[in-house]
Amino acid sequence: MSSATITLGIIGAIITALSWASLAIGLTRMVRVLRAGQPDHSRWRPIVPRLRTLAIEVVAHTRMNKFRSVGWAHWLVMVGFLLGMVFYFESYGQTFDPRFHWPLIGDSRWYHLLAEILAVTTIAGIFALIVIRQRNHPRRPARLSRFSGSNFLAAYAIESIVIVHGVSDLLVKGGKIATYGGGHAASDLFTMQIARLLPASPLLISTAAFVKMLAGAAFLYLIGRKLTWGVAWHRLSAFVNIYFKREADGSVALGAVKPMISGGTVLEMETADPDVDVFGVGRVEDFTWKGLLDFTTCTECGRCQSQCPAWNTGKPLSPKLLIMSLRDHTYAKAPYLLAGGDASKLSDADRAEAERPLVGHEDVNGIIDPEVLWSCTTCGACVEQCPVDIEHVDHIIDMRRYQVLIESEFPSELAGLFKNLENKGNPWGQNAKDRLNWINEVDFEIPVYGKDADSFDGYEYLFWVGCAGAYEDRAKKTTKAVAELLATAGVKFMVLGQEETCTGDSARRAGNEFLFQQLAMQNIEVLNSLFEGVEQAKKKIVVTCAHCFNALNNEYPQVGGTYEVVHHTQLLNRLVRAKKLIPVSPVAQNVTYHDPCYLGRHNKIYDAPRELMEASGSKLLEMPRHGERSMCCGAGGARMWMEEQLGKRINVDRVDEALDALNGGNEPSMIATGCPFCRVMLTDGVTARKDGGEVGQGVEVVDVAQLMLQSIDRIDAAAMTENLKVIQVPKVEEPEPVAEPEPEPEVVVEAAPAEAKAAPAGGGLGMKGGLKAPGGKGLGMKGGLKAPGAKAPAAETAPAATDSAEAPAAPTPAKGGLGMKGGLKAPGGKGLAMKGPAKAPGAKAAAPAAETESAATAPEAAAPAAPVKGLAMKGPAKAPGKGLAMKGAAKAPGAKSAASAADTEQAATVPTASPVAAAPAKGLAMKGIAKKPGLKPAAPADA
């Protein structure tokens, strides 16, 4: 040691101490900001699988290697940063004493070799990344650069620090060899060559160590001061973000959308309160802490931007810029967040930042422009490509939820979508009875639940046709092809027909979470009725729509419906492998395949459609963007129902790519897909290109199932009908036990005749004292009938005498079922309010016989019940398996309504019933008593 080296050491120690203090202050501030977000308790466990995922993603670099030209270079820099910290801390001692090294290991050959490798490969890796960044610099057209909008100052600073650190490592090592000798060709080959160029100087060694220490100190100081420098912070936060990713099994945050949560609790229609709960995200602090961590971790690499179909077709949405905007706003709003929401102590600038709306146009200084928010197709390309597992789609849908449920601010086209889904149960607003029209277009008989079969006994699959498959002419071709293939293979399936309702995929991705839950519970109720008594492993559903597949398979379990769901390409491929479908006439055409986003990226089904195409004899020509990098057709995220006003149409862009793969469409060729939404969009794109010129004149868009149908020997209709025929054994209902008459009480002459007690009125289902409900089953409750999940109202005893002057008022129904507090604002100004208590999916209910009899003999009707708010429903409960309880003639989508014999008799026996004022039904509110799905209405009793 010398005075010069000691001086360097002291200066370095002071600077380093200040830098570590900067990091500590910045990290503390960051943690406090993250804690201002909503809680999310689902991220911590299970610990072992999460640690395994973290280790795999870091060591194997599985996320970065999706971009092969970058993956290896980034891996070298990452390893140099992690292991290089050992050599960085060694420089603290080397500034004081040039001979310093770690005891025991510092002079070993393997340690020298490790230092050599890390220094050389880190420099090589960072130079490769610099070249890549410059080759993709936004000085090119901005839309073509994935770095457009990134913080280049931060990037250049970090790149410089890495270079200085790596070069200093080589100089320290080479200087020690030049000054003190040593070095081995096996462990110091490169630095031995450097040592020949350096003088023997202890001060040179300490100076190089001092420079390396300053480089590290600069990194610590900058990230402590610049919390928005994601390109720097991701070196620390990425490990945490990967551990806390949504899926504990290591898969990306695709498939099911994250449920809407408030205060760490999943919100449901029955319990949500808009006065207390947070509906979606309306302020940055409404994001969970994991969302705020996502924003902090963004590396600004632009991989999401380069894959985004909206950005690549001239839309304002860039997933990267969206996340960066949310991050910048989060930390600009930090004074407000850290003050606990008290704006009185803030400066005018901080108060103005805190008051900015999260979503809004420039005139209100919004953080995110509405055009940005509604341009997303939720295709998941951004999530798939993100190297640090940011959950873009979940955040976008959360912001949409607030705009729809609270602000009622959404594209005008969605108002029609929501109305059709509420009133008709399908996006097109068609009648439920028309769901069976496609069956009239095939020449063999297809079993329909409730018409040809009363149960699932003897069947293998329920064929979920979907709205597009039932109503849209192009999609109906897929439906008919799949039905014929299944019938040919002898797969016994049935369809729901008009009992089927939209799965709610578009509603959920448009932000209307409660409409999705409403539709989902209605479908789950029907499905549970169908699968009643069927073991879980045999509850099988086959679907043709990728969106229906994703909803039924991934999202319905969130609301209580768990089934085995397969896509038609998967099932048909299994049948080919099992030799139940044998191709004999190869299609022999060039076909390019478009991967539907909700089949491919969201559910990782890539091979089954391609194997099916290969079996059909077609020649597959892949587009440049296929598989997990497939380009979206533009229909996802409810974009199917919205017009594209900005930039190039996404479906046309995809068709152009397909036509290029098919040699420009100069010869008859096909574009195949496995989703009706994709088929509609691609067909429209091909039509647009045909109308504009000669391009694509011979191209046809087909479903993969149609290719297989072309390649097999088609059998006659009678054989297919026979293949689908199932003979069901009628279920024998056990007779109701006849209650023994109670013995007559003995008459005591001596005692005064006591006033007879009134007989208790029949209450609820399976209740004491009253008549047992038809069927002998029920909810087994005492007192009046209650909606599942709601508290039962107190039962009121009817008078024993039937000739009294006035009948007592009926008890006001308790708010139950889907009822919510606070009166939720309906999207688009229309309520989802429904009358009649909803029943839990799969639960059974029936009107008690005693209650019916009592109502029939009462001289006057009860007074109208007090109105309920939100999604609460009034009126009578429904029979087992029915849709939502209904009054009058209005019927649920797909349900046939008919007056029962009991209703007819009741109406005939009420002498002077005063009319009850009924509010007009809204949304999915329906009048009348619903019928069990699939059962024919009972014939009215003779008067």
Side-chain angles (χ1 to χ4, degrees):
M1 288 191 293
S2 65
S3 60
T5 59
I6 293 174
T7 301
L8 286 176
I10 294 173
I11 295 173
I14 294 173
I15 294 175
T16 303
L18 294 175
S19 299
W20 280 105
S22 173
L23 174 64
I25 293 171
L27 185 59
T28 301
R29 184 179 179 85
M30 177 181 292
V31 171
R32 291 179 63 196
V33 169
L34 298 182
R35 294 183 64 182
Q38 292 285 314
D40 186 351
H41 309 300
S42 65
R43 304 285 182 163
W44 296 87
R45 292 181 174 82
I47 296 174
V48 173
R50 290 185 177 278
L51 289 175
R52 184 188 305 116
T53 296
L54 175 61
I56 292 173
E57 288 198 19
V58 171
V59 176
H61 239 42
T62 53
R63 310 291 301 156
M64 287 297 303
N65 287 333
K66 292 180 180 295
F67 278 62
R68 295 180 181 85
S69 60
V70 180
W72 65 269
H74 189 275
W75 188 87
L76 294 177
V77 175
M78 180 200 69
V79 173
F81 171 74
L82 295 176
L83 298 182
M85 287 190 289
V86 176
F87 304 97
Y88 169 70
F89 288 114
E90 190 178 37
S91 67
Y92 286 15
Q94 291 168 342
T95 56
F96 288 94
D97 181 5
R99 290 178 177 269
F100 178 81
H101 58 74
W102 295 117
L104 301 178
I105 63 172
D107 202 29
S108 63
R109 287 194 180 184
W110 69 264
Y111 185 80
H112 280 225
L113 179 61
L114 179 61
E116 189 92 352
I117 293 173
L118 287 179
V120 173
T121 55
T122 298
I123 294 173
I126 196 63
F127 270 110
L129 294 178
I130 290 173
V131 170
I132 291 171
R133 185 180 294 274
Q134 294 305 312
R135 290 185 62 184
N136 291 277
H137 196 281
R139 65 177 64 94
R140 300 171 59 195
R143 290 274 171 178
L144 300 179
S145 172
R146 62 186 177 93
F147 295 110
S148 176
S150 297
N151 188 334
F152 273 79
L153 175 61
Y156 290 153
I158 299 303
E159 289 168 352
S160 300
I161 289 172
V162 174
I163 292 174
V164 170
H165 193 282
V167 171
S168 298
D169 273 334
L170 293 177
L171 290 176
V172 169
K173 197 162 181 276
K176 293 180 74 171
I177 294 174
T179 303
Y180 304 113
H184 302 277
S187 59
D188 308 286
L189 179 62
F190 192 78
T191 48
M192 285 176 65
Q193 308 308 316
I194 294 176
R196 295 178 181 180
L197 306 176
L198 300 176
S201 171
L203 183 59
L204 176 63
I205 300 171
S206 292
T207 301
F210 178 76
V211 172
K212 179 170 67 172
M213 187 169 59
L214 287 183
F219 174 77
L220 298 174
Y221 177 80
L222 287 173
I223 65 173
R225 299 283 295 175
K226 304 289 186 180
L227 301 185
T228 58
W229 277 21
V231 69
W233 266 108
H234 86 276
R235 292 183 163 210
L236 304 179
S237 61
F239 304 104
V240 184
N241 208 53
I242 292 171
Y243 175 85
F244 289 119
K245 67 191 302 182
R246 192 182 81 184
E247 305 299 334
D249 63 359
S251 57
V252 294
L254 294 175
V257 171
K258 180 187 70 175
M260 189 165 67
I261 64 175
S262 175
T265 303
V266 176
L267 293 183
E268 298 178 356
M269 288 191 299
E270 295 181 353
T271 58
D273 183 354
D275 295 332
V276 177
D277 297 314
V278 176
F279 284 10
V281 171
R283 303 170 301 171
V284 72
E285 57 266 37
D286 292 340
F287 286 107
T288 65
W289 61 264
K290 174 56 169 64
L292 302 183
L293 180 61
D294 273 355
F295 310 154
T296 303
T297 307
C298 178
T299 68
E300 304 176 24
C301 64
R303 288 172 180 80
C304 56
Q305 181 174 287
S306 69
Q307 301 296 302
C308 179
W311 179 259
N312 284 314
T313 54
K315 313 296 188 297
L317 169 64
S318 161
K320 179 190 70 176
L321 299 179
L322 172 73
I323 297 297
M324 289 174 61
S325 297
L326 293 171
R327 177 196 64 199
D328 294 345
H329 173 61
T330 298
Y331 288 101
K333 195 176 181 179
Y336 174 82
L337 299 177
L338 299 182
D342 183 7
S344 62
K345 301 178 181 179
L346 303 179
S347 66
D348 291 340
D350 289 340
R351 189 179 299 108
E353 183 68 30
E355 292 173 354
R356 294 179 65 188
L358 190 64
V359 178
H361 293 286
E362 291 184 3
D363 58 340
V364 294
N365 199 22
I367 308 301
I368 305 299
D369 190 276
E371 290 288 355
V372 171
L373 185 64
W374 295 104
S375 292
C376 180
T377 65
T378 67
C379 68
C382 49
V383 179
E384 181 68 46
Q385 294 298 327
C386 182
V388 291
D389 289 298
I390 294 174
E391 299 160 6
H392 310 73
V393 173
D394 283 345
H395 302 324
I396 288 172
I397 291 179
D398 269 339
M399 289 187 284
R400 287 183 174 185
R401 284 166 170 165
Y402 184 86
Q403 294 300 303
V404 171
L405 298 175
I406 301 300
E407 298 293 337
S408 289
E409 293 289 342
F410 46 84
S412 58
E413 300 97 328
L414 292 181
L417 170 67
F418 295 154
K419 180 179 179 181
N420 288 336
L421 290 177
E422 291 175 35
N423 296 334
K424 295 293 187 177
N426 66 84
W428 283 274
Q430 299 293 313
N431 292 325
K433 62 182 179 60
D434 294 335
R435 281 185 178 271
L436 291 172
N437 287 353
W438 68 272
I439 295 182
N440 299 328
E441 301 172 17
V442 298
D443 53 3
F444 59 98
E445 296 180 9
I446 296 177
V448 179
Y449 177 55
K451 176 182 177 183
D452 305 297
D454 293 330
S455 72
F456 194 68
D457 293 343
Y459 290 92
E460 300 172 71
Y461 287 92
L462 169 68
F463 181 12
W464 186 274
V465 178
C467 300
Y471 295 119
E472 212 282 327
D473 289 336
R474 288 161 288 190
K476 283 200 289 186
K477 295 179 181 178
T478 303
T479 303
K480 291 182 285 188
V482 171
E484 184 171 344
L485 287 168
L486 295 180
T488 301
V491 177
K492 297 190 183 300
F493 70 90
M494 65 161 57
V495 297
L496 284 177
Q498 61 186 13
E499 300 294 345
E500 187 178 296
T501 303
C502 179
T503 59
D505 165 84
S506 293
R508 190 174 216 194
R509 277 148 188 80
N512 199 336
E513 178 68 15
F514 291 134
L515 178 55
F516 161 75
Q517 289 190 28
Q518 181 176 311
L519 294 169
M521 288 192 289
Q522 184 173 339
N523 279 323
I524 289 171
E525 180 183 343
V526 174
L527 290 172
N528 287 348
S529 174
L530 169 69
F531 290 128
E532 184 178 6
V534 178
E535 60 182 279
Q536 186 63 39
K538 294 184 178 181
K539 297 178 180 180
K540 297 181 179 181
I541 304 174
V542 58
V543 299
T544 58
C545 177
H547 297 264
C548 293
F549 173 78
N550 183 71
L552 292 168
N553 190 49
N554 296 324
E555 298 187 333
Y556 274 38
Q558 295 178 352
V559 287
T562 303
Y563 318 100
E564 181 182 333
V565 187
V566 298
H567 192 254
H568 72 282
T569 58
Q570 293 176 298
L571 180 56
L572 294 179
N573 197 40
R574 295 175 193 173
L575 296 175
V576 171
R577 289 180 177 180
K579 306 298 183 183
K580 293 184 178 181
L581 288 175
I582 302 176
V584 294
S585 304
V587 175
Q589 286 196 40
N590 293 335
V591 182
T592 188
Y593 177 69
H594 165 78
D595 286 279
C597 300
Y598 275 82
L599 186 63
R601 262 190 301 271
H602 282 272
N603 288 283
K604 310 306 177 191
I605 299 175
Y606 299 112
D607 296 333
R610 287 173 170 81
E611 291 178 10
L612 202 60
M613 292 171 62
E614 181 182 0
S616 71
S618 58
K619 181 181 178 181
L620 176 62
L621 301 175
E622 293 283 16
M623 288 182 260
R625 292 177 290 186
H626 65 275
E628 67 181 19
R629 292 196 189 182
S630 178
M631 171 73 169
C632 181
C633 72
R639 291 294 318 177
M640 175 82 169
W641 321 106
M642 292 183 268
E643 287 296 327
E644 289 187 56
Q645 307 293 345
L646 303 173
K648 183 179 181 181
R649 295 181 66 89
I650 295 176
N651 61 331
V652 173
D653 187 72
R654 185 57 167 167
V655 164
D656 288 344
E657 187 174 1
L659 295 180
D660 288 341
L662 296 172
N663 300 318
N666 293 325
E667 59 185 50
S669 302
M670 294 190 226
I671 303 172
T673 188
C675 173
F677 282 24
C678 294
R679 179 170 186 166
V680 169
M681 299 297 285
L682 295 175
T683 302
D684 289 345
V686 170
T687 302
R689 281 293 176 245
K690 288 180 180 179
D691 293 344
E694 296 299 321
V695 178
Q697 292 301 320
V699 175
E700 180 185 4
V701 181
V702 298
D703 189 272
V704 175
Q706 291 177 272
L707 296 177
M708 177 53 57
L709 186 61
Q710 291 180 35
S711 68
I712 67 170
D713 277 340
R714 302 173 74 169
I715 63 177
D716 59 66
M720 287 189 284
T721 300
E722 188 63 28
N723 285 347
L724 296 179
K725 185 175 294 185
V726 171
I727 300 176
Q728 295 182 328
V729 178
K731 292 183 179 180
V732 179
E733 296 186 1
E734 296 182 2
E736 290 292 332
V738 180
E740 296 182 2
E742 296 183 2
E744 295 183 2
E746 298 180 1
V747 179
V748 181
V749 178
E750 294 78 10
E755 185 176 347
K757 292 184 179 181
L765 300 179
M767 298 169 289
K768 296 182 179 179
L771 294 178
K772 191 170 185 181
K777 297 182 181 179
L779 300 179
M781 297 179 292
K782 298 180 182 180
L785 177 65
K786 74 177 186 76
K791 295 181 179 179
E796 297 188 15
T797 305
T802 58
D803 57 349
S804 59
E806 295 183 356
T812 301
K815 182 173 68 176
L818 304 180
M820 296 193 306
K821 302 177 182 177
L824 176 65
K825 186 174 183 181
K830 300 211 178 218
L832 300 178
M834 294 171 286
K835 297 184 178 180
K839 115 179 160 53
K844 297 181 179 180
E851 189 173 8
T852 304
E853 182 178 352
S854 175
T857 57
E860 290 188 11
V868 291
K869 297 181 180 179
L871 299 177
M873 297 172 295
K874 303 177 184 178
K878 53 184 180 55
K882 302 173 177 67
L884 300 172
M886 300 174 289
K887 298 181 180 179
K891 66 184 184 65
K896 298 178 181 178
S897 60
S900 64
D903 292 336
T904 306
E905 182 178 354
Q906 174 182 344
T909 56
V910 177
T912 57
S914 60
V916 179
K922 295 183 180 179
L924 290 179
M926 293 166 284
K927 300 180 181 179
I929 301 302
K931 69 179 188 67
K932 182 174 181 179
L935 294 183
K936 297 180 181 179
D942 294 332

